[in-house]
């Protein structure tokens, strides 16, 4: 249930014709939004909407937002169009907070809905973020669906169970496959390969305008990683 499985909330919002809904995770530091049509609004879309709201209120310090390596490239493009710089960091809220303090900015977060509003707290707080979203919606006269201010690029994600995560760093074969994938995308997407910090897994993410292309590239990279890392 909650932020990782909001299907029950989607059904409630749609069946009761509600304006929207909020789903939180077990410890309450993440939030995912459901709009009036039943669509999920993830952390990248929330970051874009709240960043623009904070900029309009003149409290977005240095016009900088912090996100992670896996945040959608369309978030970066949207912020850039609105005069806001995106700084990327490693996946994990501790790295987001470190970068926020370094860049002296007030907002950062992850695709999962873990968002930090540093002018209000030094950690993620889903309830507080939900209240801030409501504040912004009321202030601007928006509906929940108006939070979606840009379209997300499709992302294909594959987790490959491996014996030797360290082989990733030194493999010429994986580096060659990565270069070939980037050439196929022709700057219309991104490829990210990274070892999990907690599991014997290498995570592959391919982002592209064409969803099928992203899936095909991710599948081929997964075969290479599996062959090299065991």
């Amino acid at each position: 249930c909650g932020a990782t499985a909001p299907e029950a909330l989607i059904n409630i919002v749609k069946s009761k014709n509600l304006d929207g809904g909020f789903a939180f995770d077990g410890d309450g530091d993440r939030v995912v939004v459901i709009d009036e049509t039943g669509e999920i609004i993830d952390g990248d879309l929330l970051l874009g909407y709240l960043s623009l709201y904070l900029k309009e209120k003149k409290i977005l310090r240095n016009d900088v937002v912090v996100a992670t390596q896996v945040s959608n490239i369309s978030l970066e493009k949207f912020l850039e169009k609105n005069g806001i710089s995106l700084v990327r960091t490693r996946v994990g809220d501790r790295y987001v907070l470190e970068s926020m303090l370094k860049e002296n900015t007030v907002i950062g977060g992850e695709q999962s809905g873990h968002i930090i509003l540093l002018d209000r707290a030094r950690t993620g707080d889903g309830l507080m973020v939900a209240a801030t979203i409501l504040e912004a919606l009321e202030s601007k006269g928006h509906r929940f669906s108006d939070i979606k201010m840009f379209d997300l690029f499709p992302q294909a994600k594959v987790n490959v169970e491996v014996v030797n995560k360290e082989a990733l760093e030194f493999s010429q074969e994986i580096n060659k496959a990565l270069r070939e994938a980037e050439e196929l995308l022709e700057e219309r997407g991104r490829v990210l390969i990274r070892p999990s910090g907690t599991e014997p897994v290498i995570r592959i993410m391919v982002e592209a305008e064409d969803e099928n292309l992203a899936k095909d590239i991710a599948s081929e990279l997964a075969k290479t990683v599996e062959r090299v890392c065991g």
Side-chain angles (χ1 to χ4, degrees), residues 112-218:
S112 62
H114 190 286
I115 294 174
I116 299 173
L117 298 171
L118 203 51
D119 61 328
R120 304 187 178 194
R122 288 176 63 90
T123 186
D125 185 329
L127 289 169
M128 185 180 67
V129 172
T132 306
I133 291 166
L134 290 172
E135 171 192 311
L137 291 174
E138 194 278 334
S139 171
K140 300 176 74 64
H142 282 170
R143 299 175 299 171
F144 275 70
S145 57
D146 293 323
I147 295 171
K148 298 178 292 185
M149 302 187 79
F150 53 92
D151 295 322
L152 297 171
F153 273 34
Q155 290 183 335
K157 297 180 180 179
V158 182
N159 293 330
V160 183
E161 290 191 14
V162 297
V163 175
N164 183 12
K165 289 192 292 185
E166 288 71 25
L168 175 67
E169 185 178 353
F170 306 105
S171 171
Q172 292 184 357
E173 185 178 352
I174 292 176
N175 285 333
K176 181 174 180 289
L178 186 57
R179 288 195 302 272
E180 290 172 351
E182 289 170 343
E183 287 171 7
L184 275 174
L185 290 171
E186 296 179 336
E187 298 185 356
R188 295 194 303 272
R190 293 188 305 134
V191 181
L192 178 65
I193 303 179
R194 63 185 182 88
S196 166
T198 57
E199 303 172 87
V201 164
I202 289 175
R203 305 192 191 282
I204 298 168
M205 186 203 76
V206 181
E207 194 172 65
E209 292 176 312
D210 185 322
E211 184 173 8
N212 290 327
L213 176 61
K215 288 180 178 177
D216 289 344
I217 292 174

Side-chain angles (χ1 to χ4, degrees), residues 20-33:
F22 296 100
F24 307 97
D25 64 337
D27 60 358
D29 63 359
R30 283 189 283 154
V31 61
V32 166
V33 175

Side-chain angles (χ1 to χ4, degrees), residues 35-93:
D35 74 10
E36 68 274 9
T37 70
E39 283 198 37
I40 297 171
I41 302 175
D42 72 2
D44 284 341
L45 291 164
L46 296 178
L47 274 175
Y49 184 76
L50 288 174
S51 298
L52 200 58
Y53 174 63
L54 295 177
K55 182 179 173 70
E56 290 170 354
K57 288 188 69 178
K58 303 189 185 305
I59 56 176
L60 182 64
R61 288 200 297 266
N62 294 323
D63 286 341
V64 170
V65 174
V66 174
T68 71
Q69 294 169 319
V70 300
S71 279
N72 204 282
I73 193 172
S74 58
L75 169 63
E76 189 168 356
K77 293 178 180 294
F78 170 77
L79 293 174
E80 187 179 319
K81 285 180 182 177
N82 288 281
I84 302 170
S85 300
L86 181 70
V87 173
R88 291 186 183 270
T89 188
R90 292 171 62 184
V91 174
D93 58 307

Side-chain angles (χ1 to χ4, degrees), residues 101-114:
L101 293 169
K102 180 181 176 183
E103 300 292 335
N104 189 28
T105 189
V106 297
I107 184 169
E110 300 183 276
Q111 196 177 60
S112 62
H114 190 286

